[in-house]
Amino acid sequence: MVIAIGFEGSANKIGVGIVRDGEVLANERETYITPPGEGFLPKETAQHHRSKIHDILKRALAVSGITPQEIDVVCYTKGPGMAPPLLAVAIVARTIAQIWNKPILGVNHCIGHIEMGRLITKAQNPTVLYVSGGNTQIISYACKRYRIFGETIDIAIGNCLDRFARIIKLSNDPSPGYNIEQMAKKGTKYLALPYSVKGMDVSFSGILSFIEQKARPKGKQQKRRQEDEKWSDEDLCFSLQETLFAMLVETTERAMAHCGSSEVLIVGGVGCNERLQEMMGIMCQERGAKLFATDERFCIDNGVMIAHAGWEMFRSGTRMAWKEATVTQRYRTDEVLVTWRDD
């Protein structure tokens, strides 16, 4: 029996989770929410995490009923992510590991999402669509690595949605992406947007620039819209979702065909979106494949996914020297040697 505690804080979520042999014992989390029209900056986000993490740790231990003596390994997000929040959480994890005299493991954030999704859904060997505020990747496992078949070449899909939410001044509570999803449900008119799939990769920045001009036109564009074009913010949210998600479904289906896969697993914060799940589900049904997704407890960044990925690493023999217990903003999914899966 192995018990692992995980600390996550790569972006605006700070979480602590505890697992015991695949059983979730605690999953405590707080979110740094900024005013409408504003994003979250690294320095302020790190300050938020430092102010909350002690209370979250106490809650996680209380909920789980686990004492520090029973914990076998301390896990934390090594990267990728924003440097100040990553560092704030890593310092806490290092301190806890030394106080409790426990080994420490740095976990790849993306691997955490994938392994948590596999645990909750029981997907065996899926093609993975990883969609979040900082990442957009189509992934499949082969030969001890999670191989990236396609990815964004500029901004992540979650970043695209969040930035458009700021443009139209949507609330950041509970999240910009969720509020865009609710607005999109009220949209009735589709605006044709640029469709930017480049082989297996996707591009979102040009789409964002295009729809920003339609949402908040300036100068001559403003006059043209008043004369010829009438779109509500709900219509624009609907159009943006439909276009972005269609791009993801296309590239995911192509990866499935290449790998001969019959499963799709959606992970990451944007994976909570019901419309994305619906569109992917239609594609899977047409191919005779199965779709797997989790709810907001496990899609959105959380500490338990770090604990579980660390648990997998620890029980398969992975160990980390103290000098390696650092953080990095750039830590690709395919850099990690997957010691816990059999080919």
Side-chain angles (χ1 to χ4, degrees), residues 7-317:
F7 294 84
E8 155 61 24
S10 59
N12 68 327
K13 310 288 190 304
I14 172 69
V16 178
I18 300 175
V19 296
R20 178 177 55 206
D21 292 344
E23 177 189 1
V24 177
L25 302 180
N27 185 17
E28 299 297 310
R29 178 175 61 204
E30 296 278 354
T31 303
Y32 175 48
I33 297 174
T34 55
E38 296 183 17
F40 52 92
L41 300 175
K43 181 180 177 181
E44 286 74 13
T45 305
Q47 290 172 342
H48 169 268
H49 291 0
R50 285 193 292 268
S51 69
K52 297 290 185 180
I53 194 164
H54 186 240
D55 178 61
I56 297 173
L57 174 58
K58 290 195 295 184
R59 279 160 38 196
L61 291 171
V63 168
S64 66
I66 297 294
T67 64
Q69 291 74 25
E70 296 175 274
I71 292 172
D72 296 292
V73 60
V74 176
C75 313
Y76 73 98
T77 303
K78 184 179 179 70
M82 300 165 64
L86 281 172
L87 187 58
V89 175
I91 289 172
V92 172
R94 285 171 59 99
T95 303
I96 290 296
Q98 292 192 41
I99 292 174
W100 294 349
N101 193 28
K102 305 293 181 181
I104 192 168
L105 281 178
V107 175
N108 180 288
H109 180 87
C110 316
I111 299 292
H113 275 296
I114 295 170
E115 294 304 334
M116 197 69 221
R118 291 181 63 231
L119 171 69
I120 297 300
T121 65
K122 308 304 181 187
Q124 295 302 308
N125 188 28
T127 297
V128 179
L129 174 63
Y130 172 36
V131 279
S132 69
N135 299 274
T136 302
Q137 296 177 343
I138 299 98
I139 302 163
S140 187
Y141 172 80
C143 304
K144 297 296 182 182
R145 303 272 179 179
Y146 280 110
R147 311 289 176 173
I148 300 172
F149 277 74
E151 59 190 323
T152 176
I153 60 174
D154 40 52
I155 61 174
I157 185 170
N159 185 250
C160 180
L161 293 169
D162 289 355
R163 285 165 66 176
F164 184 65
R166 293 202 292 272
I167 290 168
I168 60 176
K169 297 294 191 291
L170 287 185
S171 171
N172 289 319
D173 188 11
S175 72
Y178 175 81
N179 293 326
I180 280 187
E181 180 182 2
Q182 304 316 305
M183 291 274 284
K185 292 176 181 178
K186 303 173 185 176
T188 58
K189 187 176 179 182
Y190 178 77
L191 168 65
L193 300 176
Y195 188 90
S196 190
V197 173
K198 303 176 184 295
M200 281 298 296
D201 295 329
V202 291
S203 173
F204 300 124
S205 59
I207 301 172
L208 178 63
S209 298
F210 183 90
I211 199 169
E212 180 180 3
Q213 293 173 0
K214 299 296 182 182
R216 300 294 181 264
K218 300 176 182 178
K220 293 181 179 179
Q221 293 175 342
Q222 186 173 19
K223 183 178 180 181
R224 189 183 305 124
R225 176 175 177 176
Q226 291 172 350
E227 294 174 352
D228 304 325
E229 303 171 345
K230 290 184 173 64
W231 293 291
S232 66
D233 286 346
E234 289 82 359
D235 292 334
L236 294 175
C237 289
F238 166 72
S239 302
L240 182 62
Q241 276 200 168
E242 294 296 302
T243 303
L244 300 186
F245 295 166
M247 292 162 56
L248 296 177
V249 171
E250 177 191 335
T251 48
T252 302
E253 183 175 17
R254 197 177 296 123
M256 291 177 69
H258 180 84
C259 299
S261 174
S262 60
E263 296 177 331
V264 173
L265 172 63
I266 305 177
V267 299
V270 182
C272 296
N273 190 292
E274 294 178 355
R275 179 56 181 157
L276 174 59
Q277 293 181 16
E278 180 185 10
M279 292 174 67
M280 195 67 72
I282 292 171
M283 181 272 287
C284 288
Q285 186 177 21
E286 291 175 349
R287 293 185 62 87
K290 291 183 179 179
L291 172 65
F292 298 93
T294 62
D295 59 30
E296 61 87 25
R297 293 173 300 167
F298 304 111
C299 259
I300 297 172
D301 291 352
N302 59 86
V304 76
M305 72 182 196
I306 302 302
H308 177 64
W311 174 84
E312 291 276 23
M313 295 165 64
F314 187 77
R315 74 183 183 89
S316 65

